[in-house]
Amino acid sequence: MNKLTDDTLVSIRNMVNHKVVYVLPDWNRKVVFEPFQERKIPAGELRALHYTTGGYNLLHNYLCVENADLKAEFEIPEDQIEYN
């Protein structure tokens, strides 16, 4: 497993047919994903999201993390067919 720095950009894709929004008040950041939109987000921001209320649910059920190392860090199963 490679060590990802917080500055590494990771592709994230909205897996659902509606907007997905997350807010990180400590980062002064609000991100809106349109249906099926893909964006590059810094790994540090995703780590912060993972530990917020609801962030775990967003990363496991609505936003697809397209980096194997970060998936492993967030304990997203490799064999979860619906995820890919």
Side-chain angles (χ1 to χ4, degrees):
M1 180 189 308
N2 295 331
K3 195 72 168 162
L4 289 175
T5 64
D6 283 346
D7 296 330
T8 303
L9 292 177
V10 177
S11 289
I12 304 297
R13 181 176 39 88
N14 181 356
M15 298 186 293
V16 294
N17 193 22
H18 56 78
K19 286 184 181 181
V20 174
V21 179
Y22 68 82
V23 178
L24 296 172
D26 293 343
W27 288 56
N28 195 25
R29 185 102 159 106
K30 176 181 178 180
V31 179
V32 178
F33 283 87
E34 295 297 327
F36 306 111
Q37 180 183 15
E38 186 172 325
R39 299 178 82 157
K40 296 216 181 256
I41 306 290
E45 184 174 321
L46 295 172
R47 288 177 174 125
L49 172 62
H50 188 253
Y51 291 106
T52 62
T53 303
Y56 175 94
N57 188 35
L58 285 177
L59 290 169
H60 281 251
N61 299 311
Y62 297 95
L63 298 175
C64 178
V65 177
E66 297 182 348
N67 180 288
D69 294 333
L70 212 50
K71 274 186 190 179
E73 186 176 323
F74 296 157
E75 299 177 354
I76 298 169
E78 287 292 324
D79 62 349
Q80 187 173 341
I81 295 169
E82 300 84 11
Y83 197 79
N84 295 320

